[in-house]
Amino acid sequence: MGIKITIKETGRIREISCHSGETILNALIRNDIYVSAACGGKGKCGKCKIQLLKGTLPVTGPDRKKLKPEELEQGYRLSCLAVPEEDCTIRLCVQKDEEFDILSEEVENQMTEESSYAIAIDIGTTTLAMVLVGLDSGKTLKSYSAINRQRAYGADVISRIQASNDGKKEELQASIREDLQNGVRALMEMGGLQPEQIKKITIGGNTTMGHLLMGFSCKNLGVYPFHPVDIGTITGSFGEIIGPMENAPDCPVILLPGISTYVGGDILSGLLACGFDESEETALLIDLGTNGEMAIGNKDRILVTSTAAGPAFEGGNISCGMGSVAGAICNVDLSGGQVHVRTIGDKKPVGLCGTGVVETVSELVKEEYVDETGRLEDPYFQEGFELAKTPEGRPITFTQKDVREIQLAKSAVRAGIETLLKRFGVSYSEIGHVYLAGGFGFHMDQKKAVSIGLLPAALEDRLETVGNSSLAGAIRYLVDETAPRRAEHILQAASEVELSTDNAFNEFYMEYMYFEE
């Protein structure tokens, strides 16, 4: 039986078993209780907090670092490091169903009578977005979005790769399959459809998400020379790719191809959606999420790359950071010594999301609380700059470490952009459009992103948000019969610029570390 863990929730009590030597976080995940552990269970993010109500749990070093003394006295612990030696009772302190502000497609939200339907899916590292498409009209009729519950194994692809290589490959595959099955069922219910009415399904996602879905080994994704198992177009039955499900559609499922290990099917899909394969003019595609992926080119030639921006743009590794959930500070204005913030959903502030991080840095630099080198001036250097307080009175602060995190992230992205321009052999004036993809790009204040040097000022007049371009490309693949040929053209035209061995990138990286043009 092992050690008994009793979980008290509002109006509900559950009991699970915990193996000897197992952390409570692992026991929760093993029993299908979702907990966000952005750092992959290393005790660094503090997101997996629980409260001990009965029993004993030793206080660990990371507990002392992440939790206040009064919290420790009240029984709060990090579940990723809590190894019980006796039966205990706990309360979960995390948002089990984090309501992320998920970017999907605009839908008709009204069913039309069609002879057949299809489903397009984007598997993001943080979230999932799915739409039901009418194949006669080509219209998107219903949408579904959810958190990617693989976040329990870490917020970024590196954490997921590590978890897979540490023996959790099957768990990760089961997690994403269950999430996708829930989405397919929900879309069929919304549309009042029978399984036989779904004729095909397309999936876009980065290479790691594809490997985890297919159950491929990730051993070569995390070590040089970073060879994927298979990034070609993969077509299989519903059961083969999404797994066995009662009343499953009997239709082909297509996993869209990737360009390289770190420029996957989501970017191929975005290039297709933005029409790179048909354009004479040179354009840029920038997708800022957990990784910064970008492409430059036209119908004749495309260069792609990926830069390790880290999770700062999604609130990761930020002291009071969080995902784009209700209550996350997304807009910051400092003027006349006053701090004004706005949150997602206009809820009480609980933390800081990625757009809020960029706005905070921009405002701190503008008001000269942060100098051009990134130093937070006194008296804020030690304790951080307070933006707001949570409903419980906890200060939401932006620290010196947070400034450094955004410096590293923005420098990596900007250096990637400059390196692509240099390798393609064009100047700013020769770029026609700059497409900003993804939720972060969609909600970001472009002027503030330019002001900290994340994006070039010379391209500000050509910035265009395109939303979830991965999902848009997956839809295009369903409704446009020329899309498979066009996708193949993009694959043939594209080549990767490897930044880790590029001297120009290293020079740009140092140059754009500063908060000045």
Side-chain angles (χ1 to χ4, degrees):
M1 173 64 187
I3 296 161
K4 184 173 73 175
I5 308 292
T6 303
I7 304 162
K8 281 196 172 182
E9 300 171 274
T10 306
R12 186 180 182 190
I13 295 178
R14 284 190 279 183
E15 288 184 357
I16 64 171
S17 66
C18 187
H19 302 319
S20 177
E22 184 180 28
T23 66
I24 289 179
L25 174 65
N26 280 345
L28 291 168
I29 294 170
R30 189 167 46 76
N31 285 276
D32 292 327
I33 299 171
Y34 171 72
V35 178
S36 178
C39 67
K42 296 179 176 66
K44 294 180 178 179
C45 70
K47 309 290 187 189
C48 65
K49 194 164 65 171
I50 57 170
Q51 185 181 18
L52 179 70
L53 303 177
K54 187 178 178 182
T56 58
L57 283 172
V59 176
T60 66
D63 283 336
R64 289 192 179 89
K65 194 172 181 181
K66 287 291 174 185
L67 304 173
K68 296 176 181 176
E70 56 267 31
E71 288 182 305
L72 296 175
E73 286 177 21
Q74 293 164 8
Y76 289 98
R77 302 286 187 271
L78 301 179
S79 66
C80 65
L81 298 173
V83 179
E85 296 178 354
E86 61 180 22
D87 293 353
C88 58
T89 301
I90 65 169
R91 182 175 67 85
L92 302 181
C93 306
V94 293
Q95 292 174 286
K96 296 184 292 302
D97 297 303
E98 297 160 286
E99 296 179 0
F100 277 81
D101 186 15
I102 302 172
L103 203 58
S104 185
E105 282 284 298
E106 284 192 19
V107 296
E108 299 285 319
N109 216 18
Q110 187 174 343
M111 286 300 291
T112 54
E113 202 62 49
E114 316 246 351
S115 63
S116 56
Y117 301 84
I119 293 173
I121 299 171
D122 168 51
I123 303 179
T125 310
T126 303
T127 55
L128 308 173
M130 306 169 64
V131 291
L132 179 69
V133 180
L135 289 178
D136 296 335
S137 65
K139 292 180 177 178
T140 52
L141 306 172
K142 297 287 180 181
S143 68
Y144 171 90
S145 57
I147 188 171
N148 182 340
R149 293 184 307 152
Q150 289 178 339
R151 274 179 65 84
Y153 301 87
D156 53 47
V157 293
I158 302 301
S159 300
R160 310 271 174 92
I161 290 169
Q162 187 65 50
S164 175
N165 294 341
D166 286 345
K168 294 177 179 171
K169 177 162 68 81
E170 288 77 16
E171 292 176 38
L172 285 155
Q173 183 184 36
S175 175
I176 189 60
R177 280 181 159 190
E178 185 180 347
D179 285 345
L180 294 182
Q181 289 171 19
N182 288 340
V184 169
R185 271 192 293 265
L187 286 174
M188 288 197 298
E189 285 173 15
M190 286 184 224
L193 302 179
Q194 297 301 312
E196 61 270 16
Q197 292 176 273
I198 305 295
K199 299 303 181 184
K200 55 183 172 176
I201 296 174
T202 53
I203 302 175
N206 66 48
T207 302
T208 302
M209 295 304 103
H211 274 50
L212 296 175
L213 173 63
M214 297 305 300
F216 293 156
S217 169
C218 292
K219 290 198 182 300
N220 291 327
L221 293 187
V223 294
Y224 188 81
F226 311 111
H227 284 314
V229 173
D230 186 354
I231 55 170
T233 306
I234 297 175
T235 303
S237 67
F238 189 96
E240 287 170 335
I241 294 182
I242 300 181
M245 177 181 108
E246 192 175 346
N247 295 321
D250 181 17
C251 68
V253 178
I254 303 157
L255 185 61
L256 298 180
I259 297 169
S260 69
T261 301
Y262 285 110
V263 182
D266 50 347
I267 300 304
L268 178 281
S269 196
L271 291 167
L272 177 65
C274 294
F276 272 61
D277 61 299
E278 297 176 331
S279 177
E280 296 278 351
E281 72 171 21
T282 300
L284 262 172
L285 172 67
I286 304 170
D287 190 343
L288 299 181
T290 313
N291 288 319
E293 295 145 334
M294 52 200 78
I296 186 172
N298 50 43
K299 67 183 181 62
D300 299 317
R301 178 180 172 229
I302 298 170
L303 293 181
V304 301
T305 197
S306 174
T307 182
F313 295 134
E314 294 188 338
N317 288 356
I318 302 297
S319 54
C320 293
M322 62 193 311
S324 298
V325 301
I329 294 172
C330 56
N331 177 256
V332 178
D333 180 68
L334 305 180
S335 51
Q338 298 293 310
V339 183
H340 301 281
V341 302
R342 188 169 58 81
T343 66
I344 294 173
D346 293 322
K347 303 294 185 185
K348 296 287 187 184
V350 290
L352 196 63
C353 70
T355 54
V357 169
V358 169
E359 295 212 7
T360 299
V361 173
S362 172
E363 291 293 295
L364 289 172
V365 171
K366 181 194 78 177
E367 296 295 310
E368 298 184 350
Y369 293 117
V370 168
D371 68 17
E372 70 276 4
T373 70
R375 188 184 190 279
L376 191 55
E377 300 291 358
D378 294 328
Y380 309 108
F381 182 80
Q382 294 293 341
E383 299 298 324
F385 186 93
E386 184 175 321
L387 297 167
K389 280 188 167 63
T390 67
E392 300 78 30
R394 178 177 61 83
I396 299 172
T397 56
F398 202 77
T399 68
Q400 180 63 64
K401 176 183 172 293
D402 298 336
V403 178
R404 295 299 182 214
E405 288 287 346
I406 200 68
Q407 270 187 284
L408 295 170
K410 74 101 176 178
S411 181
V413 169
R414 181 64 183 275
I417 294 170
E418 299 296 334
T419 304
L420 280 187
L421 286 163
K422 184 179 179 72
R423 296 297 169 230
F424 202 79
V426 291
S427 62
Y428 294 142
S429 63
E430 295 171 273
I431 301 295
H433 285 82
V434 182
Y435 300 109
L436 298 177
F440 177 77
F442 186 81
H443 295 294
M444 177 177 67
D445 184 310
Q446 295 175 4
K447 287 189 181 303
K448 291 184 178 180
V450 167
S451 76
I452 66 168
L454 174 62
L455 301 171
L459 294 177
E460 189 175 355
D461 61 337
R462 279 156 278 175
L463 297 176
E464 181 180 334
T465 56
V466 291
N468 190 334
S469 62
S470 174
L471 185 61
I475 295 168
R476 181 72 57 86
Y477 208 91
L478 290 173
V479 301
D480 182 350
E481 62 183 21
T482 70
R485 174 179 55 77
R486 291 178 56 199
E488 187 58 38
H489 176 87
I490 291 170
L491 289 174
Q492 296 301 317
S495 57
E496 184 178 22
V497 175
E498 178 52 64
L499 297 180
S500 63
T501 56
D502 194 296
N503 290 333
F505 173 77
N506 293 324
E507 291 173 15
F508 285 131
Y509 185 73
M510 296 308 297
E511 179 182 346
Y512 289 104
M513 193 71 72
Y514 293 93
F515 289 114
E516 59 180 1
E517 281 293 318

Coordinates of all heavy atoms in Angstrom, one line a residue, residues 43-44 46 59-69 71-72 78 401:
G43 N 12.7 22.2 -7.4 CA 12.6 23.0 -6.3 C 13.0 24.5 -6.5 O 13.3 25.2 -5.6
K44 N 12.9 24.9 -7.8 CA 13.4 26.2 -8.2 C 12.2 27.2 -8.5 O 12.4 28.4 -8.3 CB 14.3 26.1 -9.4 CG 15.6 25.4 -9.2 CD 16.4 25.4 -10.5 CE 17.8 24.7 -10.2 NZ 18.6 24.6 -11.4
G46 N 8.9 27.1 -7.2 CA 8.0 27.3 -6.1 C 6.5 27.2 -6.4 O 5.6 27.6 -5.7
V59 N 11.6 20.1 6.5 CA 11.8 21.3 5.7 C 13.1 21.2 4.9 O 14.2 20.9 5.5 CB 11.9 22.6 6.6 CG1 12.2 23.8 5.8 CG2 10.6 22.7 7.4
T60 N 13.1 21.4 3.6 CA 14.3 21.3 2.8 C 14.9 22.7 2.6 O 14.3 23.7 2.8 CB 14.0 20.7 1.4 OG1 13.1 21.6 0.7 CG2 13.3 19.3 1.6
G61 N 16.1 22.7 2.0 CA 16.8 23.9 1.7 C 16.0 24.8 0.7 O 15.8 26.0 1.0
P62 N 15.5 24.2 -0.4 CA 14.7 25.0 -1.3 C 13.4 25.5 -0.7 O 12.9 26.6 -1.0 CB 14.4 24.0 -2.5 CG 15.6 23.1 -2.5 CD 15.9 22.9 -1.0
D63 N 12.8 24.7 0.3 CA 11.7 25.2 1.0 C 12.0 26.5 1.7 O 11.2 27.5 1.7 CB 11.2 24.2 2.1 CG 10.5 23.0 1.6 OD1 9.9 23.1 0.5 OD2 10.5 21.9 2.2
R64 N 13.1 26.6 2.4 CA 13.5 27.8 3.1 C 13.8 28.9 2.1 O 13.6 30.1 2.5 CB 14.8 27.5 3.9 CG 14.6 26.6 5.1 CD 15.8 26.6 6.1 NE 15.5 25.8 7.2 CZ 15.8 24.5 7.3 NH1 16.3 23.9 6.2 NH2 15.5 23.8 8.3
K65 N 14.3 28.6 0.9 CA 14.6 29.6 0.0 C 13.3 30.2 -0.7 O 13.2 31.4 -0.9 CB 15.5 29.0 -1.1 CG 16.2 30.1 -2.0 CD 17.2 29.4 -2.9 CE 18.0 30.4 -3.7 NZ 19.0 29.8 -4.6
K66 N 12.3 29.4 -1.0 CA 11.2 29.8 -1.7 C 10.0 30.2 -0.8 O 9.1 30.9 -1.3 CB 10.7 28.6 -2.6 CG 11.6 28.4 -3.8 CD 11.5 29.6 -4.8 CE 12.5 29.5 -5.9 NZ 12.4 30.7 -6.8
L67 N 10.0 29.7 0.4 CA 8.8 30.0 1.3 C 9.2 30.9 2.5 O 10.4 30.8 3.0 CB 8.2 28.7 1.8 CG 7.8 27.7 0.7 CD1 7.4 26.4 1.4 CD2 6.7 28.2 -0.1
K68 N 8.3 31.7 2.9 CA 8.6 32.6 4.1 C 8.6 31.8 5.4 O 7.9 30.7 5.4 CB 7.5 33.7 4.1 CG 7.5 34.6 2.9 CD 6.4 35.6 3.0 CE 6.4 36.5 1.8 NZ 5.2 37.4 1.8
P69 N 9.3 32.3 6.4 CA 9.3 31.5 7.7 C 7.9 31.3 8.2 O 7.6 30.2 8.7 CB 10.1 32.5 8.6 CG 11.0 33.3 7.7 CD 10.2 33.4 6.4
E71 N 5.2 30.8 6.5 CA 4.6 29.8 5.7 C 5.1 28.4 6.1 O 4.3 27.4 6.2 CB 4.9 30.0 4.2 CG 4.2 31.2 3.6 CD 4.5 31.3 2.1 OE1 5.7 31.5 1.7 OE2 3.5 31.3 1.3
L72 N 6.4 28.3 6.4 CA 7.0 27.0 6.8 C 6.3 26.6 8.2 O 6.0 25.5 8.3 CB 8.5 27.2 7.0 CG 9.3 27.4 5.7 CD1 10.8 27.7 6.1 CD2 9.2 26.3 4.8
L78 N 7.2 22.5 -0.6 CA 7.3 22.3 -2.1 C 7.1 20.8 -2.3 O 7.8 19.9 -1.8 CB 8.6 22.7 -2.7 CG 9.0 24.2 -2.5 CD1 10.3 24.5 -3.1 CD2 7.9 25.1 -3.1
K401 N 17.5 40.0 -10.2 CA 17.6 38.7 -11.0 C 16.6 38.7 -12.1 O 16.9 38.2 -13.2 CB 17.3 37.6 -10.0 CG 17.3 36.2 -10.7 CD 16.9 35.1 -9.7 CE 16.7 33.8 -10.4 NZ 15.5 33.8 -11.3

